[in-house]
Coordinates of all heavy atoms in Angstrom, one line a residue:
F1 N -3.9 -14.2 -20.8 CA -4.0 -12.9 -21.5 C -2.8 -12.0 -21.3 O -3.0 -10.8 -21.0 CB -5.3 -12.2 -21.0 CG -6.5 -13.0 -21.0 CD1 -7.0 -13.6 -19.8 CD2 -7.2 -13.3 -22.2 CE1 -8.2 -14.3 -19.8 CE2 -8.4 -14.0 -22.2 CZ -8.9 -14.6 -21.0
P2 N -1.6 -12.5 -21.6 CA -0.4 -11.7 -21.3 C -0.3 -10.5 -22.1 O 0.3 -9.5 -21.7 CB 0.7 -12.7 -21.6 CG 0.2 -13.7 -22.5 CD -1.3 -13.9 -22.1
D3 N -0.9 -10.5 -23.3 CA -0.9 -9.3 -24.2 C -1.8 -8.2 -23.7 O -1.6 -7.1 -24.2 CB -1.2 -9.7 -25.6 CG -2.6 -10.3 -25.7 OD1 -3.0 -11.1 -24.9 OD2 -3.3 -10.0 -26.7
K4 N -2.7 -8.5 -22.8 CA -3.6 -7.5 -22.3 C -3.1 -6.7 -21.1 O -3.7 -5.8 -20.7 CB -5.0 -8.2 -21.9 CG -5.6 -9.0 -23.0 CD -6.2 -8.1 -24.1 CE -6.9 -8.9 -25.2 NZ -7.4 -8.1 -26.3
Y5 N -2.0 -7.2 -20.6 CA -1.4 -6.6 -19.3 C 0.0 -6.2 -19.5 O 0.7 -6.7 -20.4 CB -1.6 -7.6 -18.2 CG -3.0 -8.0 -17.9 CD1 -3.6 -9.0 -18.6 CD2 -3.8 -7.2 -17.1 CE1 -4.9 -9.4 -18.4 CE2 -5.2 -7.5 -16.9 CZ -5.7 -8.6 -17.6 OH -7.0 -8.9 -17.4
C6 N 0.5 -5.4 -18.6 CA 1.9 -5.1 -18.4 C 2.4 -6.0 -17.3 O 2.1 -5.7 -16.1 CB 2.2 -3.6 -18.2 SG 3.9 -3.3 -18.0
L7 N 3.1 -7.1 -17.6 CA 3.6 -8.0 -16.6 C 4.9 -7.5 -16.1 O 5.9 -7.3 -16.8 CB 3.8 -9.4 -17.3 CG 2.6 -10.0 -18.0 CD1 2.9 -11.3 -18.6 CD2 1.4 -10.1 -17.0
R8 N 4.9 -7.2 -14.7 CA 6.0 -6.6 -14.1 C 6.6 -7.4 -13.0 O 5.9 -7.8 -12.0 CB 5.6 -5.2 -13.5 CG 5.0 -4.3 -14.6 CD 4.9 -2.9 -14.0 NE 6.2 -2.3 -13.7 CZ 6.6 -1.2 -14.3 NH1 5.8 -0.5 -15.1 NH2 7.8 -0.7 -14.0
P9 N 7.9 -7.8 -13.1 CA 8.5 -8.6 -12.0 C 8.7 -7.8 -10.7 O 8.9 -6.5 -10.8 CB 9.8 -9.0 -12.6 CG 10.1 -7.9 -13.5 CD 8.8 -7.5 -14.1
M10 N 8.6 -8.4 -9.6 CA 8.8 -7.7 -8.3 C 10.2 -7.1 -8.2 O 10.4 -6.2 -7.4 CB 8.5 -8.6 -7.2 CG 7.0 -8.9 -6.9 SD 6.1 -7.4 -6.5 CE 6.8 -7.0 -4.9
S11 N 11.1 -7.5 -9.0 CA 12.4 -6.9 -9.0 C 12.4 -5.5 -9.5 O 13.3 -4.7 -9.3 CB 13.4 -7.7 -9.9 OG 12.9 -7.9 -11.2
D12 N 11.3 -5.1 -10.1 CA 11.1 -3.7 -10.6 C 10.4 -2.8 -9.6 O 10.1 -1.7 -9.8 CB 10.3 -3.7 -11.9 CG 11.1 -4.0 -13.1 OD1 12.3 -4.1 -13.0 OD2 10.5 -4.2 -14.2
Y13 N 10.2 -3.4 -8.4 CA 9.4 -2.7 -7.3 C 9.8 -1.3 -7.1 O 8.9 -0.4 -7.0 CB 9.5 -3.5 -6.0 CG 8.6 -3.0 -4.9 CD1 7.3 -3.5 -4.8 CD2 9.0 -2.1 -4.0 CE1 6.5 -3.1 -3.7 CE2 8.2 -1.6 -3.0 CZ 6.9 -2.2 -2.9 OH 6.1 -1.7 -1.8
T14 N 11.1 -1.0 -7.0 CA 11.5 0.3 -6.6 C 11.4 1.3 -7.8 O 11.4 2.5 -7.6 CB 13.0 0.3 -6.1 OG1 13.8 -0.3 -7.2 CG2 13.1 -0.5 -4.9
K15 N 11.2 0.7 -9.0 CA 11.1 1.6 -10.2 C 9.7 2.2 -10.2 O 9.4 3.2 -10.9 CB 11.3 0.8 -11.4 CG 12.7 0.3 -11.6 CD 12.9 -0.5 -12.8 CE 14.3 -1.1 -12.9 NZ 14.5 -1.9 -14.2
K16 N 8.7 1.6 -9.5 CA 7.3 2.1 -9.5 C 6.7 1.8 -8.2 O 5.9 0.8 -8.0 CB 6.5 1.4 -10.7 CG 5.2 2.2 -11.0 CD 4.6 1.6 -12.2 CE 3.3 2.4 -12.6 NZ 2.6 1.9 -13.8
P17 N 7.0 2.6 -7.2 CA 6.5 2.3 -5.8 C 5.0 2.3 -5.8 O 4.3 3.0 -6.6 CB 7.1 3.5 -5.0 CG 8.3 3.9 -5.8 CD 7.9 3.7 -7.2
P18 N 4.3 1.6 -4.9 CA 2.9 1.4 -5.0 C 2.1 2.6 -4.4 O 0.9 2.8 -4.7 CB 2.6 0.2 -4.1 CG 3.8 0.2 -3.1 CD 4.9 0.7 -3.9
G19 N 2.8 3.5 -3.7 CA 2.1 4.7 -3.1 C 1.0 4.2 -2.1 O 0.0 4.9 -1.9
L20 N 1.4 3.2 -1.3 CA 0.4 2.6 -0.4 C 1.2 1.8 0.7 O 2.3 1.3 0.4 CB -0.5 1.6 -1.2 CG -1.5 0.7 -0.4 CD1 -2.7 0.5 -1.3 CD2 -0.8 -0.6 -0.1
L21 N 0.7 1.8 1.9 CA 1.2 1.0 3.0 C 0.1 0.0 3.4 O -1.0 0.3 3.5 CB 1.5 1.9 4.2 CG 2.8 2.7 4.1 CD1 3.0 3.5 5.4 CD2 4.1 1.8 3.9
Q22 N 0.6 -1.2 3.6 CA -0.3 -2.3 4.0 C 0.1 -2.7 5.4 O 1.2 -2.9 5.7 CB -0.3 -3.5 3.1 CG -1.3 -4.6 3.5 CD -1.3 -5.8 2.5 OE1 -0.4 -5.8 1.6 NE2 -2.2 -6.7 2.7
F23 N -1.0 -2.8 6.3 CA -0.8 -3.3 7.6 C -1.3 -4.7 7.8 O -1.6 -5.3 6.8 CB -1.4 -2.3 8.6 CG -0.7 -0.9 8.6 CD1 -1.1 0.0 7.7 CD2 0.2 -0.6 9.6 CE1 -0.5 1.3 7.7 CE2 0.8 0.6 9.6 CZ 0.5 1.6 8.6
W24 N -1.5 -5.1 9.0 CA -2.1 -6.5 9.3 C -3.2 -6.3 10.3 O -2.9 -6.3 11.5 CB -0.9 -7.4 9.8 CG -1.3 -8.8 10.0 CD1 -1.4 -9.4 11.3 CD2 -1.7 -9.8 9.1 NE1 -1.8 -10.7 11.1 CE2 -2.0 -11.0 9.8 CE3 -1.9 -9.8 7.7 CZ2 -2.5 -12.1 9.2 CZ3 -2.3 -10.9 7.1 CH2 -2.6 -12.1 7.8
S25 N -4.4 -6.2 9.8 CA -5.5 -5.9 10.7 C -5.8 -7.0 11.7 O -6.3 -6.7 12.8 CB -6.8 -5.7 9.9 OG -7.2 -6.8 9.2
H26 N -5.4 -8.3 11.4 CA -5.7 -9.4 12.3 C -5.0 -9.2 13.6 O -5.4 -9.8 14.6 CB -5.4 -10.7 11.6 CG -6.2 -11.0 10.4 ND1 -7.5 -11.3 10.5 CD2 -5.9 -10.9 9.1 CE1 -8.0 -11.5 9.2 NE2 -7.0 -11.2 8.4
S27 N -3.9 -8.5 13.7 CA -3.2 -8.4 14.9 C -3.7 -7.2 15.8 O -3.2 -7.0 16.9 CB -1.7 -8.1 14.6 OG -1.5 -6.9 13.9
G28 N -4.7 -6.5 15.3 CA -5.3 -5.4 16.0 C -4.5 -4.1 15.7 O -3.4 -4.1 15.3
L29 N -5.2 -3.0 15.9 CA -4.6 -1.7 15.7 C -3.9 -1.2 16.9 O -4.5 -0.8 17.9 CB -5.7 -0.7 15.2 CG -5.3 0.7 14.9 CD1 -4.3 0.7 13.8 CD2 -6.5 1.6 14.5
T30 N -2.6 -1.1 16.9 CA -1.8 -0.7 18.0 C -1.7 0.8 18.1 O -1.9 1.5 17.0 CB -0.3 -1.2 17.9 OG1 0.3 -0.6 16.8 CG2 -0.3 -2.7 17.7
P31 N -1.4 1.4 19.2 CA -1.3 2.9 19.3 C -0.2 3.4 18.4 O -0.4 4.5 17.8 CB -0.9 3.1 20.8 CG -1.5 1.9 21.5 CD -1.4 0.8 20.6
G32 N 0.9 2.7 18.2 CA 1.9 3.1 17.3 C 1.4 3.2 15.9 O 1.7 4.1 15.1
E33 N 0.7 2.1 15.4 CA 0.2 2.1 14.1 C -0.9 3.2 13.9 O -0.9 3.9 12.8 CB -0.5 0.7 13.8 CG 0.5 -0.4 13.7 CD -0.1 -1.8 13.6 OE1 -1.2 -1.9 14.2 OE2 0.4 -2.7 13.0
E34 N -1.7 3.4 14.9 CA -2.7 4.5 14.7 C -2.1 5.8 14.6 O -2.5 6.7 13.8 CB -3.7 4.5 15.9 CG -4.9 5.4 15.7 CD -6.1 5.1 16.5 OE1 -5.9 4.4 17.6 OE2 -7.2 5.5 16.1
S35 N -1.0 6.1 15.3 CA -0.3 7.3 15.2 C 0.3 7.5 13.8 O 0.2 8.6 13.2 CB 0.9 7.4 16.2 OG 1.7 8.5 16.0
V36 N 0.8 6.4 13.2 CA 1.3 6.5 11.8 C 0.1 6.8 10.8 O 0.2 7.7 9.9 CB 2.0 5.2 11.4 CG1 2.3 5.2 9.9 CG2 3.2 5.0 12.2
L37 N -1.0 6.2 11.0 CA -2.2 6.4 10.2 C -2.7 7.8 10.3 O -3.1 8.4 9.3 CB -3.3 5.4 10.5 CG -3.0 3.9 10.3 CD1 -4.1 3.0 10.8 CD2 -2.8 3.7 8.8
Q38 N -2.7 8.3 11.5 CA -3.1 9.7 11.7 C -2.2 10.7 11.0 O -2.7 11.7 10.4 CB -3.2 10.0 13.2 CG -4.3 9.3 13.9 CD -4.2 9.5 15.4 OE1 -3.1 9.9 16.0 NE2 -5.2 9.1 16.2
Q39 N -0.9 10.4 11.0 CA 0.0 11.3 10.3 C -0.2 11.3 8.8 O -0.2 12.3 8.1 CB 1.5 10.9 10.7 CG 1.8 11.2 12.1 CD 3.2 10.7 12.4 OE1 4.2 10.8 11.6 NE2 3.4 10.0 13.6
I40 N -0.4 10.0 8.3 CA -0.5 9.9 6.8 C -1.8 10.6 6.3 O -1.8 11.2 5.3 CB -0.6 8.4 6.4 CG1 0.8 7.8 6.7 CG2 -1.0 8.2 5.0 CD1 0.8 6.3 6.5
T41 N -2.9 10.4 7.1 CA -4.2 10.9 6.6 C -4.5 12.4 7.1 O -5.6 12.9 6.8 CB -5.3 10.0 7.1 OG1 -5.3 9.9 8.5 CG2 -5.1 8.6 6.5
A42 N -3.6 13.0 7.9 CA -3.8 14.3 8.3 C -4.2 15.3 7.2 O -3.5 15.2 6.1 CB -2.6 14.8 9.1
G43 N -5.2 16.1 7.4 CA -5.6 17.0 6.3 C -6.4 16.4 5.2 O -6.6 16.9 4.1
Y44 N -7.0 15.2 5.5 CA -7.8 14.5 4.5 C -9.0 15.3 4.1 O -9.6 15.1 3.0 CB -8.2 13.1 5.0 CG -9.3 13.1 6.1 CD1 -10.6 12.9 5.8 CD2 -8.9 13.3 7.4 CE1 -11.6 12.9 6.8 CE2 -9.8 13.3 8.4 CZ -11.2 13.1 8.1 OH -12.1 13.1 9.1
R45 N -9.5 16.3 4.8 CA -10.6 17.1 4.4 C -10.2 18.5 3.9 O -11.0 19.3 3.7 CB -11.6 17.3 5.6 CG -12.4 16.0 5.9 CD -13.6 15.8 5.0 NE -14.1 14.5 5.0 CZ -15.0 14.0 5.8 NH1 -15.6 14.8 6.7 NH2 -15.5 12.8 5.7
A46 N -8.9 18.6 3.7 CA -8.4 19.9 3.3 C -8.8 20.2 1.9 O -9.0 19.4 1.0 CB -6.9 19.9 3.3

């Protein structure tokens, strides 16, 4: 169904950033990662 989608090569990645960070839950949540998550989500109830 290529006509139904906008097919985008990963070489265009920087032209349209995902607005998302992905971690690796299987390794467990480290204190450093949790600190980053807290900073990103701060004010989520604002």
